[in-house]
């Protein structure tokens, strides 16, 4: 791989024990350049260990010397790969200097960080309680400075992510990259205004078979070798439409080295992803979500599929994307009702995440870039833990069991997916016995134009479809319930009479 040119260096930041030095060394080796390690360079200048200087002169004196050295390193014309100490970004001058570089935040679990750093000559890794508080305090600074975020993983992750990190240099200003990983694959998620309009695309190899819908095609375009625009709507998520797309791909001569590009919302993403998963036993797919629901939820995690009359997403496959390109600016062309439908997934994800994301969402404002980033990172973390729905990932179905049944009972035509999920969320909160939270969520949903009651089907129809949910095991359908925001658990058995009562409560009849 060739060395970099222009637009500064790749600079690795993160907490103690995150593996910054290892990542920098691996990336520099791949590029064929020398890496600079700020801690090592500082010890060389000091003529002693950081621990010895820190203990004798104190933290304030250490930070002054660290700041001086880091500023010099970042200004060096030969600086191409740099690893900084964990506290270097606390300096305002350092943060200012980092704007000229591609900054990569390596995340680390606090328990792993303590295991790696304690007893290793780290002055701030002697008291575990203080250490963990420092980890929490610095997280926001790292996230604010970073252009790219790599989650905790093996030491080779940075090297595997290197092509995507280098692609950031060609992306519109302000673009962020989050590296996603799951058991079956890993990929970059690029997030930035203008990604679609400026023509940014990744990966660069392979011809592109673009699948979109007729509404999206009028507003947005991805340069491709082929483009197929299907009619819009959930009713198009069928095996018949899959066959039509696959045959169009075959007639066009799409090969295994090519890419399917899903330009659209959840329907296009699910359908195109499924076609990519089964065409010639699997080719790559790039998700380019153009709806809020897709940008915060459905574009990630590798679930693809189509509906059967008997149930939603009954035919499908896991197929992780090669990349996801998220351009929040395209949401400006979204009809108000579509944006509202996506808001239901925002609320669902915030309830699962709890903490800062729920605090942000419960204020009731319109979803912004920070909200989208919080939602996608929540989903990616869940998928990393459990790709195939064996446990933790099931929490993402909060509100979906009854929501899917409402969609199916009304023929996939009366309610958008997010609208049905909004109603399903209220049912899940009722079954969880969280009446005060249910009332708060109902107000949030209604304020954003979402329904809180349904019509067009009888409760008995919806209840019957719940019993046929694809997650059924041993004749019982497990429910995802909530103790509090951030405390969501799957696998609960619920009395069918309670389910029926919750459905009747949200029935307009």
């Amino acid at each position: 791989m060739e060395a970099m040119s222009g637009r500064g260096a790749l600079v690795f930041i993160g907490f103690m024990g995150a593996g910054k030095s290892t990542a920098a060394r691996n990336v520099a080796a791949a590029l064929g350049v020398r890496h600079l390690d700020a801690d090592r360079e500082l010890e060389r200048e000091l003529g002693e260990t950081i621990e010895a200087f820190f203990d004798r002169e104190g933290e304030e004196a250490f930070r002054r010397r660290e700041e001086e050295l880091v500023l010099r390193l970042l200004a060096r014309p030969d600086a191409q790969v740099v690893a900084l100490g964990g506290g270097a970004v606390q300096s305002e001058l350092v943060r200012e200097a980092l704007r000229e570089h591609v900054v990569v935040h390596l995340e680390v679990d606090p328990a792993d960080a303590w295991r790696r750093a304690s007893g290793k000559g780290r002055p701030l890794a002697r008291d575990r309680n203080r250490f963990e508080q420092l980890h929490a305090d610095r997280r926001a600074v790292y996230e604010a400075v970073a252009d790219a975020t790599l989650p905790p993983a093996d030491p080779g992750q940075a090297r595997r992510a290197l092509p995507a990190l280098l692609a950031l240099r060609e992306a519109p200003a302000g673009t962020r990259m989050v590296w996603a990983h799951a058991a079956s694959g890993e990929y970059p998620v690029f997030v930035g205004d203008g990604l679609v309009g400026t023509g940014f695309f990744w990966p660069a190899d392979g011809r592109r078979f673009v699948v979109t819908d007729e509404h999206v095609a009028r507003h947005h375009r991805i340069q491709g070798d082929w483009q197929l625009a299907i009619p819009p709507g959930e009713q198009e998520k069928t095996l018949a439409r899959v066959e039509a797309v696959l045959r169009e791909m075959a007639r066009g001569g799409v090969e295994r080295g090519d890419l399917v590009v899903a330009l659209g919302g959840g329907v296009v993403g699910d359908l195109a992803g499924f076609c990519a998963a089964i065409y010639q036993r699997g080719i790559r797919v790039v998700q380019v979500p153009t709806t809020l629901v897709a940008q915060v939820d459905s574009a990630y995690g590798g679930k693809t599929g189509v509906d059967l009359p008997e149930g939603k997403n009954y035919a499908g496959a896991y197929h992780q994307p090669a990349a996801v390109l998220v351009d929040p600016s395209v949401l400006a062309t979204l009809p108000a009702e579509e944006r509202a439908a996506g808001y239901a997934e925002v609320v669902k994800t915030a309830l699962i995440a709890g903490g800062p994301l729920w605090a942000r969402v419960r204020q009731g404002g319109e979803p912004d870039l920070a909200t989208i980033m919080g939602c996608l990172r929540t989903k990616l973390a869940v998928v990393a833990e459990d790709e195939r729905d064996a446990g933790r990932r099931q929490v993402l179905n909060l509100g979906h069991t009854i929501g899917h049944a409402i969609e199916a009972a009304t023929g996939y035509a009366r309610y958008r997916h997010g609208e049905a999920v909004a109603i399903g969320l209220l049912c899940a909160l009722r079954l969880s016995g969280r009446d005060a939270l249910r009332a708060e969520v109902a107000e949030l949903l209604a304020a954003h134009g979402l329904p809180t009651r349904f019509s067009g089907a009888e409760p008995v129809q919806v209840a019957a479809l719940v019993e046929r949910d694809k997650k059924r095991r041993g004749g019982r359908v497990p429910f995802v319930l909530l103790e509090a925001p951030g405390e969501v658990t799957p696998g609960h058995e619920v009395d069918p009479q309670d389910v029926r009562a919750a459905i009747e409560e949200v029935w307009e009849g």
Side-chain angles (χ1 to χ4, degrees):
M1 191 173 293
E2 295 182 0
M4 302 182 301
S5 60
R7 291 192 62 183
L10 285 176
V11 183
F12 290 91
I13 66 170
F15 198 62
M16 291 174 276
K20 302 180 292 295
S21 297
T22 301
R25 183 168 54 250
N26 289 344
V27 165
L31 292 170
V33 301
R34 174 174 172 250
H35 79 284
L36 300 172
D37 188 303
D39 282 352
R40 189 172 62 186
E41 295 292 328
L42 184 56
E43 288 190 332
R44 184 178 294 125
E45 283 197 5
L46 294 174
E48 61 182 330
T49 66
I50 288 174
E51 182 181 28
F53 182 88
F54 194 102
D55 286 344
R56 187 182 67 254
E57 303 292 337
E59 183 170 5
E60 185 177 347
F62 168 73
R63 294 302 176 197
R64 284 198 302 269
R65 293 294 297 269
E66 180 184 47
E67 179 185 74
E68 293 169 2
L69 178 127
V70 168
L71 292 174
R72 279 188 275 117
L73 288 183
L74 295 177
R76 282 174 55 166
D78 66 333
Q80 298 200 58
V81 181
V82 183
L84 299 188
V89 295
Q90 295 179 108
S91 161
E92 185 176 345
L93 291 176
V94 169
R95 295 196 298 271
E96 182 70 26
L98 286 173
R99 293 180 182 178
E100 303 301 319
H101 304 275
V102 176
V103 182
V104 185
H105 173 207
L106 301 184
E107 294 186 311
V108 63
D109 180 82
D112 289 335
W114 175 256
R115 176 174 52 81
R116 296 168 187 169
S118 61
K120 305 290 175 57
R122 306 287 186 105
L124 298 178
R126 295 166 179 166
D127 179 281
R128 183 157 187 171
N129 289 333
R130 184 187 177 198
F131 181 88
E132 292 184 349
Q133 184 60 52
L134 194 62
H135 178 277
D137 292 344
R138 287 184 182 173
R139 182 182 179 90
V141 181
Y142 295 141
E143 291 181 352
V145 171
D147 299 296
T149 301
L150 274 58
D154 62 272
Q157 178 179 242
R159 188 165 184 162
R160 296 193 301 273
L162 180 56
L165 293 173
L166 297 179
L168 272 175
R169 303 159 75 83
E170 309 303 323
T175 299
R176 301 277 302 278
M177 191 274 277
V178 178
W179 190 250
H181 70 98
S184 67
E186 49 191 359
Y187 56 92
V189 178
F190 294 95
V191 185
D193 287 329
L195 288 180
V196 172
T198 60
F200 175 84
F201 193 85
W202 198 91
D205 65 312
R207 298 176 298 173
R208 305 171 194 169
F209 185 89
V210 181
V211 181
T212 186
D213 73 36
E214 294 164 354
H215 286 172
V216 175
R218 286 195 280 268
H219 298 284
H220 310 293
R221 183 174 182 83
I222 293 288
Q223 184 177 356
D225 299 273
W226 308 270
Q227 176 164 304
L228 177 63
I230 65 173
E234 183 77 24
Q235 60 271 23
E236 294 299 318
K237 265 180 61 174
T238 65
L239 289 172
R241 182 59 67 186
V242 167
E243 181 182 6
V245 174
L246 291 173
R247 295 191 66 184
E248 191 69 24
M249 292 169 66
R251 283 192 291 266
V254 176
E255 300 173 354
R256 292 196 68 182
D258 296 330
L259 294 154
V260 173
V261 181
L263 175 64
V267 170
V268 167
D270 283 357
L271 176 71
F274 185 50
C275 290
I278 62 177
Y279 183 78
Q280 296 185 358
R281 296 189 176 90
I283 68 173
R284 295 173 298 168
V285 62
V286 174
Q287 296 282 353
V288 188
T290 61
T291 63
L292 183 59
V293 66
Q295 291 193 359
V296 302
D297 182 73
S298 64
Y300 322 100
K303 279 189 176 181
T304 72
V306 295
D307 306 330
L308 300 180
E310 290 77 12
K312 185 176 172 70
N313 295 329
Y314 254 45
Y318 288 94
H319 190 58
Q320 296 293 344
V324 182
L325 312 181
V326 181
D327 183 349
S329 70
V330 305
L331 300 179
T333 64
L334 206 60
E337 56 272 19
E338 288 289 348
R339 192 176 181 91
Y343 185 74
E345 291 288 353
V346 171
V347 174
K348 178 209 79 172
T349 307
L351 287 171
I352 292 169
L357 183 58
W358 170 244
R360 187 180 192 89
V361 170
R362 74 186 303 189
Q363 294 174 4
E366 287 298 314
D368 55 11
L369 178 60
T371 302
I372 292 172
M373 286 290 292
C375 288
L376 75 86
R377 293 191 65 187
T378 297
K379 175 144 190 190
L380 292 178
V382 171
V383 173
E385 186 178 336
D386 171 29
E387 181 183 7
R388 298 296 178 109
D389 265 339
R392 174 64 178 166
R393 185 168 181 168
Q394 294 171 25
V395 300
L396 298 173
N397 290 314
L398 179 66
H400 282 56
T401 301
I402 292 176
H404 283 172
I406 291 171
E407 285 186 87
T410 54
Y412 302 110
R414 190 178 187 92
Y415 295 101
R416 293 171 176 82
H417 172 69
E419 293 171 337
V421 167
I423 300 168
L425 276 175
L426 298 181
C427 293
L429 291 170
R430 173 64 73 228
L431 293 171
S432 299
R434 296 295 172 260
D435 294 348
L437 183 59
R438 183 187 185 280
E440 181 180 5
V441 169
E443 287 185 14
L444 283 173
L445 299 174
H448 283 77
L450 284 161
T452 56
R453 301 174 74 83
F454 77 94
S455 60
E458 297 288 326
V460 65
Q461 295 174 272
V462 175
L465 285 164
V466 167
E467 291 301 313
R468 297 217 308 258
D469 188 278
K470 66 182 184 298
K471 298 180 291 296
R472 183 180 65 247
R473 296 288 186 275
R476 300 300 299 269
V477 177
F479 276 80
V480 180
L481 301 181
L482 178 146
E483 183 71 23
E487 299 178 32
V488 182
T489 52
H492 295 272
E493 286 195 7
V494 178
D495 190 301
Q497 292 186 341
D498 292 336
V499 174
R500 175 72 177 270
I503 294 170
E504 288 179 343
E505 186 177 18
V506 293
W507 180 48
E508 284 191 347

